[in-house]
Amino acid sequence: MIILGIETSCDETAISVIEVEGDLENPIFKTLSHVVHSQIKDHEPFGGVVPNIAKREHIRNLPYVLVEALHKAGLILDFKFSILNKIPNENIPNSKARECWSDFFEQIPKIKIDLIVVTVGPGLEPALWTGIEFAKALGEKLGIKVIGANHMEGHIASVLFGKNKEKLNFPAIALLISGGHTELIYLKNWRTKEKIGETVDDAVGEAFDKVARMLSLPYPGGPQISKLADRAREERVSLNHKFPRPMINSGNFNFSFSGLKTAVLYYLKSLPEITDEIKLGVAREFEDSIIETIISKTQKAILEYQPKSLIVGGGVISNLELRKNILNLNSKFPELKILIPEKELTTDNATMIAIAGYLNTINKQDYPLEAQGNLRIT
Ligand code: KG4
Ligand code: ZN
């Protein structure tokens, strides 16, 4: 079975083609193509993702990304690329998007694909909407069924790929940490899952990005802060000031990062000058606060739910200090299998969406084809 996945929930325009073999309960996934077009450059001047710019860019990028994904998968051989120049570089009202893709779809030949899966939420609604409209138009053109997938279930499903597959045992806990989400999810099996904790305000990656901005570091700030924090540890620079560990003893599995961000802001405002050494110290103390909170909550969830596996997804797991601390949980819980997807699958991509869609067909889980910004795990 060949599945095409489409992901546009935030600032990545992504399309993947995967092949699924084996029986339904024990599938073997193979990537035929995996294309991700990041919009970081378009949002950088604003210090964060701007929903209407994301929408405009998805409308423009989707045809390019589709052609590249089909081409890499060997499903189309040549294509009149000049047709892509006809797509306007401006913010198009929703009612006009299909019209501006119509010449492009005219050129798409019959393709051997069995199913199209598109992210329907959670995410930025204008951005989600473009992917859904594109998927529907492609499905109509090719006569292929289109189904929806939950972005967060995609992050969880990404561990089904590659070498991790053998090791995943249920029950499991998933820790999802990205620019848009901070969630702990309990999975009895692929069918039965429950969100047990989430951020009550900023997502963890968002907190990294906002604090980076206070330190005049470019967007996205997570990797920048993490570089400074690593340097601070190496050079033994630490801050003579403690930031809070918000909600660390709240007795539930929820997170909060907004107070921490404000604490950093007030601290910086109290200083006559922000030297390079202060920046190093702030980055390290801020990162330590985040890591301590995440590890503490995850550890409590493990103690309460006794999972056999811990799945970690989302761009913030690129943070090496956090990753080290997560892997270290094995010293307390030696039986726990800790699963982190391969690097290109930790950040937003469409391979995970194609897999999540496949699981939906097995689990008979149906999502309406409409943008649901606050879609929850069910
Ligand atoms: O999953 P992702 O690529 O996109 C979504 O937000 O869905 O995650 C991006 C987030 C950004 O907020 C970025 O600053 C953060 O992940 N991030 C990091 C690191 N690398 C990326 N945060 C901390 N340390 C890092 N090394
Ligand atoms: Zn994501």
Side-chain angles (χ1 to χ4, degrees):
M1 179 180 196
I2 297 194
I3 306 178
L4 181 127
I6 301 178
E7 155 64 36
T8 62
S9 68
C10 192
D11 61 340
E12 263 97 21
T13 317
I15 298 186
S16 290
V17 183
I18 67 165
E19 189 171 7
V20 188
E21 281 177 0
D23 61 34
L24 283 184
E25 289 298 330
N26 200 17
I28 300 161
F29 299 105
K30 188 170 145 201
T31 323
L32 300 184
S33 65
H34 172 100
V35 181
V36 181
H37 177 89
S38 163
Q39 300 175 4
I40 280 183
K41 285 267 164 295
D42 301 290
H43 300 284
E44 197 178 359
F46 305 95
V49 179
V50 183
N52 265 329
I53 295 182
K55 173 188 149 192
R56 180 192 77 200
E57 290 304 307
H58 286 314
I59 290 179
R60 231 155 47 100
N61 297 335
L62 275 163
Y64 286 88
V65 174
L66 176 67
V67 170
E68 193 179 334
L70 293 176
H71 196 71
K72 282 191 171 152
L75 295 172
I76 53 171
L77 296 178
D78 58 81
F79 190 80
K80 221 167 78 193
F81 278 87
S82 57
I83 202 80
L84 297 173
N85 297 332
K86 284 197 175 176
I87 296 165
N89 180 17
E90 61 197 52
N91 233 330
I92 300 157
N94 292 359
S95 55
K96 290 270 166 62
R98 282 232 191 176
E99 204 178 292
C100 80
W101 290 324
S102 65
D103 285 350
F104 166 76
F105 279 121
E106 283 293 302
Q107 305 289 318
I108 293 280
K110 267 272 167 237
I111 301 167
K112 199 187 143 317
I113 288 172
D114 302 296
L115 181 68
I116 297 173
V117 185
V118 62
T119 307
V120 293
L124 304 169
E125 290 203 352
L128 287 162
W129 175 86
T130 59
I132 296 168
E133 272 309 291
F134 192 78
K136 282 187 190 163
L138 183 65
E140 278 167 27
K141 161 78 189 178
L142 299 175
I144 301 171
K145 186 174 177 191
V146 182
I147 64 165
N150 180 319
H151 181 86
M152 304 317 283
E153 290 177 350
H155 275 300
I156 299 171
S158 61
V159 292
L160 280 186
F161 241 75
K163 53 187 184 311
N164 284 328
K165 192 184 164 282
E166 265 62 61
K167 295 199 293 174
L168 175 60
N169 292 329
F170 290 108
I173 295 265
L175 167 70
L176 303 178
I177 39 178
S178 73
H181 305 280
T182 310
E183 296 182 1
L184 276 166
I185 294 154
Y186 173 74
L187 294 102
K188 194 169 167 209
N189 50 47
W190 279 117
R191 237 165 288 237
T192 315
K193 12 184 167 27
E194 180 198 351
K195 190 191 281 182
I196 57 171
E198 64 188 321
T199 178
V200 297
D201 40 57
D202 292 350
V204 56
E206 191 181 357
F208 267 99
D209 296 337
K210 286 179 175 168
V211 167
R213 222 156 99 191
M214 294 174 201
L215 297 174
S216 313
L217 300 168
Y219 174 83
Q224 308 285 335
I225 297 240
S226 119
K227 245 189 262 167
L228 289 189
D230 287 346
R231 227 181 88 200
R233 285 185 199 95
E234 241 175 71
E235 296 175 12
R236 297 177 191 278
V237 176
S238 53
L239 205 63
N240 195 9
H241 181 90
K242 269 279 212 204
F243 294 139
R245 273 62 177 151
M247 288 181 77
I248 201 160
N249 295 316
S250 63
N252 58 23
F253 303 111
N254 286 340
F255 303 85
S256 162
F257 297 108
S258 164
L260 169 61
K261 174 192 72 187
T262 312
V264 177
L265 182 68
Y266 285 162
Y267 174 69
L268 291 173
K269 277 193 171 164
S270 74
L271 301 173
E273 189 193 1
I274 301 170
T275 60
D276 284 352
E277 183 156 334
I278 291 284
K279 283 191 187 181
L280 288 182
V282 166
R284 177 178 180 178
E285 171 59 17
F286 168 76
E287 193 177 271
D288 282 349
S289 162
I290 297 249
I291 293 175
E292 234 179 277
T293 312
I294 290 179
I295 294 294
S296 159
K297 295 278 171 173
T298 308
Q299 208 164 289
K300 283 180 187 156
I302 295 168
L303 283 171
E304 177 152 340
Y305 288 88
Q306 302 285 322
K308 293 194 170 122
S309 314
L310 172 69
I311 300 167
V312 192
V316 179
I317 193 58
S318 314
N319 185 295
L320 293 181
E321 190 65 20
L322 175 62
R323 186 183 281 247
K324 198 168 85 188
N325 278 272
I326 285 177
L327 293 174
N328 237 343
L329 284 169
N330 268 145
S331 57
K332 281 215 171 88
F333 308 102
E335 302 292 316
L336 182 74
K337 288 176 173 168
I338 301 177
L339 307 173
I340 301 176
E342 286 158 31
K343 187 160 174 47
E344 61 177 8
L345 293 181
T346 55
T347 56
D348 288 353
N349 67 87
T351 300
M352 69 181 199
I353 299 305
I355 309 172
Y358 178 74
L359 292 174
N360 289 351
T361 61
I362 296 179
N363 295 333
K364 309 215 171 344
Q365 193 165 11
D366 215 8
Y367 288 104
L369 284 177
E370 54 196 51
Q372 298 162 69
N374 296 315
L375 182 65
R376 296 180 70 83
I377 288 264
T378 50

